[in-house]
Amino acid sequence: MVQMQSQKIEQLENQLTESQNRLAEAQQRLNTATDAHAISIENQSVIAATRQELEATIESVELAMQEDNTANRNTTLGGYGELHYNNLDKGSAIDFHRYVLFLNHQFADNLNFYSELEVEHSIAGEGKVGEVELEQAFVQWDYSQSHNFKFGLFLIPLGILNETHEPDTFYGVERNTVEKNIIPATWWEGGFGFNGELAPGWGYDLAFHSGLNLDADNTSASKRSSIRSARQKVGKANAENFAATARVSFSGYPGLRVSAAFQRQSDLTQDDDDDVGVSGIGANLYEFDVQFQRNMFAFRALYAKWDIDSGINQLNEGADEQVGWYLEPSVKLNPKLGFFARYGSYDLLASNSASASEKKQFDIGLNYWIHPRVVVKMDYQQQDNENGTDNDGFNIGMGYSF
Amino acid sequence: MKHLFFCFILLSSQLCVGAEYISEQDFISQSFTNSPTMKSIWLKGDRQEVAKEMLGHRYPALRLRYWMDGTKSAWIMNEIGKEKPITIGVTIEGDKIERVSILAYRESRGGEIRHPFFTEQFVGAGLKPNADLANPVDGIAGATLSVRAVTNISRFALYLSESTASEFAIGQVSH
C-alpha cells in the first residue's frame, strides 16, 4: 500500500515537474513574444518619429526652395534693355537705347509698390546724350478683387506701347513713330487713378494727373507746338493746370483687345508759363487701338488725334490738329521666328495743308526670339516725308526683359 | 466730385475682396463626381528636366500633390507670370485636358486669363510629340507672360499625368 502510494507520489511529482517545465517553456515563449511585441511597438514609434522628421525636413527644403524663388519675396527686381544699330539716310549710329530696372515691393497682399528707373542712351550728365529717368514710381492698392487704386508717378493708360514696351513684346527695332510722336510714348505723369474690370473682359482706366507744358519760347516752331516736347516728366513740373485720362477696353474674346481712350488737358501752356502771351490752350486727345491674334497671325492698328484749341496756331500754324495712325500685320511661323510689316502716317501740323508736314513710313522686318524673353530684331524702313527729307535704311537690334 | 470718389470705392469694394477666385477644395470637388484619392509624386530626375524644358526652370518643390479617381486626375501648381505666382488648376481625363481654372492671380495686370473665354481654349488639348499643346491657344494682349504661364503649366500637368499613369506614386492619403 505504502509502495503504491510512493509510486503514485513519484508519478505525480514527475507530472508536476513536466508541467512546471512546460509552464517555464510557455513562460519563456510568452516572454519572448512580449519582448518581440514591445520591440515591434518601439520600432513603430521609431518609424513614426523618423517619418515625422523626414516630413519636416522635406517641408523645410520645399519652403527654402519656395523662398529662394524671387517671386515669393516681398521685394523683386526686374528689367529690360535694348541695343540698336541704325543705318539710315541721316546717318549711322549704335546706341544702347534703354537700360531699365524695375524695383517692386509688396507691402501686403493688396498693396504694392512699382518702380521703373531708366538710363537712356547709355550715358547721362551735363552735355551728355542720355538721361536718367524715373518712369514709374507708384503704389497700387487692390481695394477689391476687380478694382485698383494707384497714386504716384505712373504711365498714362494710352495706346499699345506706352504701358507694355519691353522689346520682346513688339516688332521693329525702334518703337513706331506714330506712338512716339502723337501719344507720345513713353509718357508718364504724377497723380492718382483707378483701373479694373467692369465685367468679364471689360476693363477701364481713369486717371487724374499732371499736365503738359508746351515749350512755347523755343526758337524752333516745331518744338514750340510739340506734344512730345511738352512732357514735363514730373520734375518740378508746373502744376497750375491738370489733365485727366479715361480708357475703356474689351478683351473678352481670345486674342482680341480693343481700346478707346480720351484725354483732356486744361491748358497746354500752364497759364503762359513761358511768358509768350499765349495761354488757355485746352486740348483733347482721342485714341483708338486694336490688337488681334489668331493662331500664327496677328494684327495691330492704332489711330490717335489731338484736337487743340486754335491758340496753339500762334506758336506754329496748323498745330491745332495732330494726327497719326498705323496698321501692322504679322505672322509668327513658330515660337522663335516672326515677320511683320507696318504702314503708318503722322502729321503734327495736320490742319495746315500747306505745311508739307505729313510723314509716311513703311517698315518690314523680323524678330527672332532666342529665348521667349530675349530677341534679335532686324527691319528695313522707308520714310516718305512730305517735305522731301526722306529717311530710309535698316535697323538691327537686340532686347531682353526679365 | 469727392462724393463720387467715395461712392465709386464703396460700390466697387462690394464685388469681392482678395486674389483667390476658387478655393483648392472647391476646384477638387468640382472636378470629380466621386471622392478622389489624394496622392503625391516626387519631382526628381527626368521630371525636373522636363520641368526645365516646359517651364524654363525647375519646379520649386520636391513633391507635388494631386488627386485621382479612375483615369481622371487634378493638379494644382503655381507658376510666375511676370513677377508673382499664379495658382493654376488642371483637370485631366485620360490624356486630354478637361478643365483649366485660375485659382488665384497676383499680378498687377492680365487677370483676364481667369475668364472662361480664355481657359476654355485648353479643353480637349493633349500633348503633341514635340511637347506642345495640340490645341492652339490665342493670347491676350498685355498678358503675354500670364498666358505663357498657364500654357506651360497645362503642358507640365499633361506630362505628369502621363508619367504617373505607369508609375507608383507614394504617400496615398484619403481625401
Side-chain angles (χ1 to χ4, degrees):
Chain A
M1 183 71 177
V2 171
Q3 190 178 4
M4 283 179 66
Q5 284 178 337
S6 296
Q7 285 175 348
K8 186 69 177 176
I9 289 169
E10 189 178 352
Q11 191 178 359
L12 287 172
E13 281 177 351
N14 288 340
Q15 284 178 352
L16 180 61
T17 303
E18 192 177 345
S19 295
Q20 282 176 335
N21 288 340
R22 283 180 183 167
L23 183 61
E25 284 175 16
Q27 185 65 49
Q28 193 173 1
R29 283 203 297 270
L30 183 62
N31 287 345
T32 304
T34 305
D35 288 348
H37 182 62
I39 290 168
S40 174
I41 291 172
E42 190 180 339
N43 281 349
Q44 283 177 12
S45 65
V46 169
I47 289 168
T50 306
R51 273 190 177 155
Q52 284 179 351
E53 287 169 6
L54 182 63
E55 188 67 24
T57 305
I58 291 168
E59 285 176 1
S60 296
V61 171
E62 288 183 330
L63 188 63
M65 291 171 80
Q66 286 161 13
E67 285 174 349
D68 190 46
N69 190 333
T70 52
N72 292 317
R73 293 177 185 159
N74 285 338
T75 304
T76 58
L77 190 68
Y80 72 87
E82 49 192 332
L83 173 70
H84 298 164
Y85 170 70
N86 312 111
N87 190 315
L88 305 171
D89 289 344
K90 69 178 182 183
S92 299
I94 186 164
D95 181 26
F96 203 99
H97 199 144
R98 298 179 181 91
Y99 175 83
V100 175
L101 287 178
F102 298 123
L103 184 66
N104 304 327
H105 182 75
Q106 183 177 45
F107 298 103
D109 283 348
N110 64 346
L111 192 66
N112 290 275
F113 167 75
Y114 299 93
S115 74
E116 178 179 348
L117 186 66
E118 175 170 325
V119 177
E120 206 168 66
H121 306 301
S122 187
I123 185 165
E126 182 107 18
K128 304 294 183 186
V129 294
E131 293 175 297
V132 176
E133 294 173 330
L134 184 64
E135 295 198 350
Q136 296 186 71
F138 67 92
V139 172
Q140 179 168 299
W141 172 38
D142 305 334
Y143 62 91
S144 82
Q145 188 183 61
S146 303
H147 302 276
N148 313 307
F149 172 71
K150 62 183 175 184
F151 56 94
L153 186 157
F154 51 82
L155 298 171
I156 300 300
L158 281 171
I160 295 174
L161 291 186
N162 200 52
E163 291 179 291
T164 306
H165 45 241
E166 288 85 344
D168 49 292
T169 63
F170 65 90
Y171 284 104
V173 174
E174 300 287 351
R175 297 175 185 175
N176 71 77
T177 51
V178 175
E179 291 194 72
K180 177 182 172 183
N181 289 288
I182 302 293
I183 294 295
T186 308
W187 184 8
W188 62 92
E189 297 287 0
F192 67 93
F194 302 91
N195 64 79
E197 205 172 44
L198 298 166
W202 287 95
Y204 73 90
D205 293 86
L206 185 62
F208 302 91
H209 50 81
S210 47
L212 296 168
N213 186 9
L214 290 171
D215 190 6
D217 60 354
N218 198 298
T219 54
S220 161
S222 62
K223 290 283 185 189
R224 287 198 295 269
S225 62
S226 166
I227 291 294
R228 184 170 179 80
S229 299
R231 296 173 303 168
Q232 301 190 80
K233 302 189 176 181
V234 203
K236 292 188 177 179
N238 189 317
E240 292 295 327
N241 294 276
F242 286 84
T245 305
R247 178 174 67 180
V248 177
S249 60
F250 175 72
S251 55
Y253 185 79
L256 176 68
R257 185 182 191 88
V258 181
S259 296
F262 171 76
Q263 185 182 95
R264 173 66 186 169
Q265 295 274 341
S266 51
D267 183 2
L268 292 179
T269 69
Q270 296 291 339
D271 290 350
D272 195 11
D273 180 57
D274 292 324
D275 284 330
V276 295
V278 178
S279 65
I281 301 177
N284 295 333
L285 171 64
Y286 307 92
E287 189 270 336
F288 178 78
D289 62 75
V290 179
Q291 298 176 74
F292 185 63
Q293 181 241 322
R294 173 54 49 93
N295 300 332
M296 61 196 295
F297 299 102
F299 178 73
R300 285 180 170 189
L302 179 140
Y303 172 85
K305 177 183 177 183
W306 280 99
D307 184 4
I308 304 171
D309 289 350
S310 58
I312 196 172
N313 292 333
Q314 297 176 55
L315 303 175
N316 196 2
E317 184 60 35
D320 59 331
E321 187 179 312
Q322 305 190 23
V323 63
W325 58 270
Y326 70 83
L327 307 170
E328 183 193 285
S330 62
V331 57
K332 201 167 181 181
L333 299 180
N334 57 52
K336 289 186 176 294
L337 183 62
F339 295 90
F340 82 102
R342 185 191 306 124
Y343 184 73
S345 156
Y346 72 95
D347 191 342
L348 302 181
L349 301 171
S351 73
N352 181 3
S353 56
S355 62
S357 52
E358 185 179 7
K359 296 185 176 183
K360 298 173 184 170
Q361 184 162 328
F362 173 72
D363 302 90
I364 189 167
L366 65 88
N367 279 16
Y368 182 77
W369 285 269
I370 300 168
H371 175 276
R373 303 188 73 175
V374 180
V375 65
V376 175
K377 304 179 178 184
M378 280 177 269
D379 63 62
Y380 172 77
Q381 72 171 57
Q382 195 172 58
Q383 196 177 83
D384 178 16
N385 295 336
E386 221 174 10
N387 62 7
T389 59
D390 293 355
N391 193 27
D392 301 342
F394 66 89
N395 306 289
I396 300 172
M398 62 75 71
Y400 62 85
S401 72
F402 58 92
Chain B
M1 184 68 189
K2 189 165 68 177
H3 291 108
L4 184 67
F5 174 78
F6 284 110
C7 287
F8 184 84
I9 288 185
L10 285 172
L11 180 67
S12 304
S13 59
Q14 298 304 308
L15 298 179
C16 40
V17 176
E20 185 182 279
Y21 303 118
I22 311 171
S23 70
E24 186 175 297
Q25 196 171 15
D26 285 348
F27 172 71
I28 297 304
S29 61
Q30 289 168 15
S31 296
F32 295 93
T33 46
N34 301 318
S35 182
T37 302
M38 188 174 80
K39 300 182 175 185
S40 69
I41 178 176
W42 286 93
L43 297 176
K44 56 185 181 180
D46 288 348
R47 288 175 182 143
Q48 287 290 15
E49 289 303 312
V50 173
K52 282 166 73 175
E53 282 176 26
M54 291 185 167
L55 308 177
H57 58 85
R58 293 168 64 87
Y59 192 82
L62 295 178
R63 301 163 304 174
L64 194 62
R65 285 187 304 166
Y66 67 102
W67 291 260
M68 193 150 196
D69 181 39
T71 54
K72 183 185 284 189
S73 61
W75 305 78
I76 296 175
M77 287 181 265
N78 284 314
E79 177 65 347
I80 300 163
K82 185 174 183 181
E83 294 174 333
K84 293 290 174 187
I86 307 166
T87 306
I88 304 160
V90 183
T91 308
I92 296 169
E93 172 65 70
D95 59 357
K96 300 280 194 300
I97 291 176
E98 187 178 86
R99 177 188 182 198
V100 168
S101 295
I102 307 303
L103 277 62
Y105 189 82
R106 304 172 184 86
E107 301 280 8
S108 61
R109 287 190 292 158
E112 300 100 316
I113 62 162
R114 74 182 187 276
H115 293 307
F117 68 76
F118 173 72
T119 56
E120 282 172 359
Q121 296 182 95
F122 293 87
V123 176
L127 272 184
K128 293 200 290 191
N130 67 358
D132 283 342
L133 281 184
N135 288 16
V137 175
D138 294 321
I140 295 174
T144 306
L145 299 177
S146 297
V147 169
R148 191 176 294 155
V150 180
T151 304
N152 289 344
I153 285 294
S154 299
R155 294 166 63 213
F156 193 47
L158 280 165
Y159 160 75
L160 290 175
S161 173
E162 187 183 309
S163 170
T164 53
S166 57
E167 289 188 29
F168 177 68
I170 67 162
Q172 296 191 5
V173 182
S174 293
H175 178 61

